[in-house]
Amino acid sequence: MKHTSESGFTLIELLVAISILVIMLSIVFVQGNRSGSGTLLLNETYEVALLTREAQSFGVAVREETGGNFDSAYGVHFDSSNPGQVLLFNDENDTLRFESSVNDPIVQTLQLDSAHTISSICATSGVTTTCAGGGFTSLSISFIRPDPDARILDNNGVEYDSAEVTLTSQAGGSQIVEVINTGQIAVK
């Protein structure tokens, strides 16, 4: 009697190999989604920082406003009642803060991705830190020539030394844009 040796995999060996592959791919997929959402949050945070830098550039480099005037401030505005957007505005009324009631022109609106929101807006004066909801509802960071320093004011007109705007992802994780009154803008 002649035995023939058949080569190949049995059904059980194939099922074990496929299940190991599925488990490994699912782990990679879950980790990839976490990494991807963190990268998207970081990109969104840099967009906010760059918009702030653009306001600084417009304010210091003398961008012409709508009425032909070259000496008004430019700034960014954060409102706790609208955590999905940041406004770049032209301060035509010279208050160094955004006031929609006097029609400060909006130069640009940055609409955040639906997966990201501004979770906190905090400002520090000396050693005291105040966050939106605990004394103010909105914060404006303005720049006016010839000084590259930031002017950080809340909706009540109170001036601060620094501000931190925290962006948070629905997937978990957060990034901070910090602006210091010396004009430094950083992502932490």
Side-chain angles (χ1 to χ4, degrees):
M1 189 179 281
K2 190 175 177 182
H3 279 294
T4 58
S5 156
E6 293 186 31
S7 62
F9 297 106
T10 65
L11 181 59
I12 292 178
E13 290 172 332
L14 283 174
L15 287 175
V16 168
I18 289 173
S19 46
I20 290 171
L21 185 64
V22 166
I23 290 170
M24 290 174 55
L25 287 175
S26 64
I27 290 171
V28 168
F29 181 72
V30 169
Q31 292 298 330
N33 278 345
R34 286 187 194 149
S35 174
S37 66
T39 302
L40 292 173
L41 175 63
L42 185 61
N43 286 344
E44 198 88 77
T45 306
Y46 275 111
E47 287 290 326
V48 173
L50 287 172
L51 190 67
T52 307
R53 179 71 68 200
E54 189 172 1
Q56 185 181 39
S57 176
F58 286 173
V60 174
V62 197
R63 179 179 177 182
E64 180 182 11
E65 65 180 52
T66 53
N69 189 7
F70 287 95
D71 62 353
S72 63
Y74 283 83
V76 289
H77 179 73
F78 303 94
D79 193 333
S80 62
S81 66
N82 195 348
Q85 76 176 17
V86 181
L87 303 176
L88 171 61
F89 69 96
N90 174 237
D91 181 33
E92 286 188 353
N93 63 346
D94 298 326
T95 61
L96 298 176
R97 64 182 195 265
F98 179 73
E99 295 178 325
S100 59
S101 61
V102 294
N103 297 323
D104 276 337
I106 297 171
V107 177
Q108 183 179 344
T109 301
L110 174 63
Q111 195 66 41
L112 300 179
D113 184 276
S114 61
H116 306 116
T117 58
I118 295 173
S119 58
S120 74
I121 306 165
C122 296
T124 303
S125 182
V127 294
T128 306
T129 299
T130 307
C131 293
F136 63 86
T137 58
S138 63
L139 194 70
S140 295
I141 302 170
S142 300
F143 303 91
I144 188 163
R145 68 181 300 242
D147 196 0
D149 290 353
R151 302 291 302 273
I152 304 165
L153 285 89
D154 67 17
N155 55 294
N156 302 314
V158 177
E159 191 162 358
Y160 297 93
D161 298 327
S162 66
E164 285 190 353
V165 178
T166 305
L167 280 77
T168 305
S169 172
Q170 289 178 349
S174 61
Q175 293 285 329
I176 297 172
V177 176
E178 179 185 41
V179 181
I180 300 173
N181 64 358
T182 58
Q184 180 182 357
I185 303 165
V187 173
K188 302 193 311 184

